[in-house]
Amino acid sequence: MVVVIRNLQAMINRTIVLLMLTAIVCACSTTKQERRSRTAEDVFKEALEAFNDENWLEATAQFDIIKLQFPASQYADDAQYHLAEINFKRGEYVLGAYNYAMVRRLYPSSEYAKMALYKSAECYLNLSPPADRDQDYTKKAIAAFGEFEAAYPQDSLAFESARTIRELRDKLAGRYLESARHYTRSYSNKAAVIYYDAVLEEFPDSKYFETALVEKIATLIAMRRRDDARLAIDQYRRTVRSGTQRADVDRLEEELR
């Protein structure tokens, strides 16, 4: 009798296990089937909902599904652009610049192509460091804004691009000017003149042009390069129309007489 009961219990246990396994398999099959039946539109709606809720991890996962499973769908460029937007909103500007660039590379006719170019420039702008540090990202920002201005000259953002380019060029000119002053303080006047010339030759439209030229004149006089100083004064007279440092130039010219 005990043996019969034990056999019956074993059969019941095996039946329960089989039922549980069947349920798991069915659940997995159903989940896979549901995933397979989801369209690109379904995934995009879920991704956009997560994006609007600022659920960046979920949104990224869903947009990646569109890129991997529906690369030829009408939502592929949307997914690529929104991935870049997530990077931008999270302050991941290096990755953002890359993903914005991929929008234009993979989908050049996309409605997002224009904004992707502008936003990539903004990524580099946000990466641009203070003037006393390496300015590689500043140069990349200038190039990107310049590309936008050339591609969309009539767009309202083209005027904003031009304004930003002027500011960034002033930053680069300011860096050269500070380098020139550093060498002047270090009594390395020859090196200082090289950096003053960099401001004058590369950034003639900079707000630092007049200051760089006047300080170059003073440095040349200190080096006893009187003829070069006179040429620099002549350059000032020809190029600076409404300068604020004319009195300083007149005083320096007096020193040469």
Side-chain angles (χ1 to χ4, degrees):
M1 183 68 173
V2 173
V3 174
V4 172
I5 292 174
R6 287 179 178 175
N7 290 336
L8 181 61
Q9 185 64 47
M11 291 177 61
I12 293 172
N13 289 339
R14 285 197 296 272
T15 302
I16 292 173
V17 171
L18 287 172
L19 289 172
M20 291 177 64
L21 290 174
T22 302
I24 291 172
V25 170
C26 290
C28 291
S29 299
T30 302
T31 301
K32 290 180 180 178
Q33 182 63 34
E34 288 176 351
R35 288 179 179 174
R36 281 197 296 268
S37 64
R38 284 201 307 169
T39 66
E41 183 179 4
D42 294 332
V43 179
F44 180 71
K45 286 181 178 179
E46 291 182 22
L48 199 58
E49 182 177 351
F51 179 87
N52 292 332
D53 289 339
E54 298 186 0
N55 186 347
W56 306 132
L57 292 178
E58 177 64 20
T60 298
Q62 296 300 325
F63 285 129
D64 278 336
I65 288 174
I66 293 176
K67 287 181 59 182
L68 293 172
Q69 296 186 10
F70 308 100
S73 74
Q74 68 184 83
Y75 301 103
D77 60 332
D78 299 78
Q80 182 63 51
Y81 181 78
H82 281 84
L83 284 171
E85 286 283 272
I86 291 172
N87 298 143
F88 190 89
K89 291 177 183 295
R90 297 183 65 176
E92 300 166 343
Y93 298 120
V94 174
L95 189 56
Y98 170 81
N99 276 321
Y100 283 127
M102 290 302 293
V103 174
R104 302 184 68 244
R105 182 179 302 176
L106 298 176
Y107 316 102
S109 60
S110 169
E111 62 179 310
Y112 297 107
K114 180 175 73 172
M115 279 308 300
L117 176 56
Y118 188 82
K119 293 296 286 287
S120 67
E122 285 197 320
C123 284
Y124 291 127
L125 176 63
N126 287 323
L127 289 165
S128 176
D132 60 341
R133 300 181 185 178
D134 182 77
Q135 296 298 306
D136 184 56
Y137 283 124
T138 301
K139 294 174 183 177
K140 288 183 177 180
I142 291 173
F145 280 117
E147 185 179 356
F148 183 91
E149 191 178 10
Y152 307 99
Q154 303 304 318
D155 193 274
S156 60
L157 290 176
F159 300 101
E160 186 67 19
S161 296
R163 182 191 63 78
T164 305
I165 289 172
R166 286 193 297 272
E167 292 177 355
L168 294 175
R169 284 177 59 80
D170 278 342
K171 179 188 282 192
L172 294 180
R175 176 174 171 81
Y176 283 141
L177 182 61
E178 285 304 314
S179 295
R181 288 171 172 171
H182 165 75
Y183 284 114
T184 298
R185 291 190 296 267
S186 303
Y187 303 101
S188 302
N189 288 333
K190 185 175 181 180
V193 169
I194 291 174
Y195 279 96
Y196 284 129
D197 282 339
V199 177
L200 302 175
E201 294 171 8
E202 295 184 34
F203 307 100
D205 55 338
S206 166
K207 65 181 181 181
Y208 296 109
F209 180 87
E210 181 184 13
T211 298
L213 185 49
V214 173
E215 292 183 15
K216 176 187 174 182
I217 294 169
T219 303
L220 290 171
I221 292 175
M223 296 171 68
R224 300 183 184 279
R225 291 170 54 179
R226 301 172 68 85
D227 290 341
D228 290 334
R230 290 189 179 93
L231 289 174
I233 290 173
D234 181 62
Q235 180 183 6
Y236 181 92
R237 304 291 189 203
R238 289 184 290 101
T239 57
V240 181
R241 300 300 181 186
S242 57
T244 60
Q245 301 179 56
R246 287 186 176 276
D248 294 328
V249 175
D250 291 341
R251 177 181 54 78
L252 291 169
E253 192 170 28
E254 282 295 321
E255 293 182 24
L256 293 173
R257 292 178 180 173

